[in-house]
Amino acid sequence: MTKDSLLPLLTAHVLAHGLGGASLRPLAKAAGTSDRMLIYHFGTKEALIVDLLGHIAKVYAAALDAAMGGEPAATRADVVARILAHGDAPAMQPFMRLWWEIVAGAARDLPGYQLAAQAMMRELLGWLEGQMPAGDPDPRGGARYLMTVIEGTAMLTAVGHGDTAQQGLLAGGLLPS
Amino acid sequence: MTKDSLLPLLTAHVLAHGLGGASLRPLAKAAGTSDRMLIYHFGTKEALIVDLLGHIAKVYAAALDAAMGGEPAATRADVVARILAHGDAPAMQPFMRLWWEIVAGAARDLPGYQLAAQAMMRELLGWLEGQMPAGDPDPRGGARYLMTVIEGTAMLTAVGHGDTAQQGLLAGGLLPS
DNA sequence: AAGCGAACGTAGCAGTCGCTACATATCTGG
DNA sequence: CCAGATATGTAGCGACTGCTACGTTCGCTT
């Protein structure tokens, strides 16, 4: 029972129950161990969280890679539609709930949170650059532009203003009509 | 010592120390009371948080109203620049840190969080609509579009990807060059 | 003045927190 | 074959959690 075998189980638990309220004993039960052993392996709860965030970032990267397939999109609007569909998928929603906790932790400068969030955003940006339409005049800037729009849409959706974001995307010519 | 005189002091405490980790005794000390009295006034910690979120939304609305002044912007890019400057102001940063906790709570459907977040986004949307340039072809859709972009920028900034968002805004023609 | 309800302090409940001391197992290398 | 490292269980520490029981003080009304 090593760290690497523990991390997926811990990940599953925080995906289900959140990261902020996670405490050692429930985490340990989810991983089939005791709090004693978690401290033994990770040294500290804080170190555990840092390791866990790193692992979650890697899981996210793998999920993006798996969704990477398909030919490049025809238009920027198609790129947006494609990734919004990916984020709206039911399988992604536990991760989306977790994501906002990671953002909140990064905003408060908790150790490990910024690093994990930046890694995931870097991954998403790379994915977007690879998805940009073939003849796009500015794939590099365009990918950054789309990422900004997409994250804004995700946030508004999280607080129940998804329709507002949809209307904004439509007005910005970023939704296929 | 009524609820309404307590709420500003409680607000100051959560702005400084966060909302997720807030517990009754520190809150009470910040408000100059005891945990006993907080329960007496609000009935439950959960009810206190709900009331507090409602109050925070009102404070946010008032802050936006106060910043409302000035003639309408000349271009959409000016609107974006204006509100990003407002959000980057040092006085707004405790609120920004709190905001991501509110988003995370809304994403997890904690009681009161969605309501407060929606109220604040509604307020921001109204402010944006009032700030749209005079001759804008689609002020209503444009405001929603700008709000999506602005919130995306805020999120990327929170996780340390502010430069990425800047480049995106530039590529989208939403920053005055 | 008597009575009453709201406002408040003190003390404490049962439970959880991160973490540790201590005793054991189980495995590995000389 | 046995020393030493690695792994695990049990029990518990002190601090903190939300919340409550109980008693007191205050301002007000009748």
Side-chain angles (χ1 to χ4, degrees), chain B residues 99-111:
Chain B
W99 169 245
W100 299 113
E101 287 192 77
I102 295 175
V103 173
R108 286 216 180 267
D109 231 350
L110 305 185

Side-chain angles (χ1 to χ4, degrees), chain B residues 70-156:
Chain B
E71 65 286 359
T75 67
R76 289 186 174 186
D78 286 337
V79 178
V80 171
R82 188 171 294 186
I83 194 148
L84 287 185
H86 179 247
D88 281 349
M92 281 298 286
Q93 273 174 1
F95 177 79
M96 283 295 156
R97 284 195 289 269
L98 190 59
W99 169 245
W100 299 113
E101 287 192 77
I102 295 175
V103 173
R108 286 216 180 267
D109 231 350
L110 305 185
Y113 282 73
Q114 283 248 9
L115 237 61
Q118 284 178 16
M120 286 188 264
M121 286 299 95
R122 206 166 29 232
E123 196 74 21
L124 175 60
L125 184 56
W127 190 77
L128 280 172
E129 285 182 338
Q131 290 273 325
M132 291 299 282
D136 196 278
D138 178 15
R140 190 185 142 83
R144 282 156 179 76
Y145 168 58
L146 293 190
M147 182 154 96
T148 306
V149 172
I150 287 161
E151 293 302 328
T153 302
M155 197 230 78
L156 289 171

Side-chain angles (χ1 to χ4, degrees), chain A residues 23-25 35-36 39 45:
Chain A
S23 52
L24 285 182
R25 273 175 263 251
D35 55 334
R36 167 73 183 77
I39 296 297
K45 186 193 178 182

Side-chain angles (χ1 to χ4, degrees), chain B residues 23-25 35 39 45:
Chain B
S23 52
L24 285 182
R25 272 176 265 251
D35 56 332
I39 295 296
K45 185 194 180 184

Side-chain angles (χ1 to χ4, degrees), chain A residues 20 22 39 50 67 94 108-109 114 131 143 152 166:
Chain A
I39 296 297
V50 171
R108 286 216 179 268
D109 231 348
Q114 284 247 9
Q131 289 274 323
Q166 295 291 323

Side-chain angles (χ1 to χ4, degrees), chain A residues 45-144:
Chain A
K45 186 193 178 182
E46 181 179 304
L48 184 153
I49 297 293
V50 171
D51 278 15
L52 186 50
L53 285 169
H55 181 256
I56 288 169
K58 276 195 273 189
V59 168
Y60 174 75
L64 262 193
D65 281 355
M68 189 96 120
E71 66 285 0
T75 67
R76 289 186 174 187
D78 285 338
V79 178
V80 172
R82 187 172 295 185
I83 193 148
L84 287 184
H86 179 247
D88 281 349
M92 281 298 286
Q93 273 173 2
F95 177 79
M96 283 295 157
R97 283 195 290 267
L98 190 59
W99 169 246
W100 300 113
E101 286 193 75
I102 295 175
V103 173
R108 286 216 179 268
D109 231 348
L110 305 184
Y113 282 73
Q114 284 247 9
L115 237 62
Q118 284 178 17
M120 287 187 264
M121 287 299 94
R122 205 165 31 234
E123 196 74 21
L124 175 60
L125 183 56
W127 190 77
L128 279 172
E129 285 180 338
Q131 289 274 323
M132 291 299 284
D136 195 277
D138 178 14
R140 191 184 141 82
R144 282 155 179 77

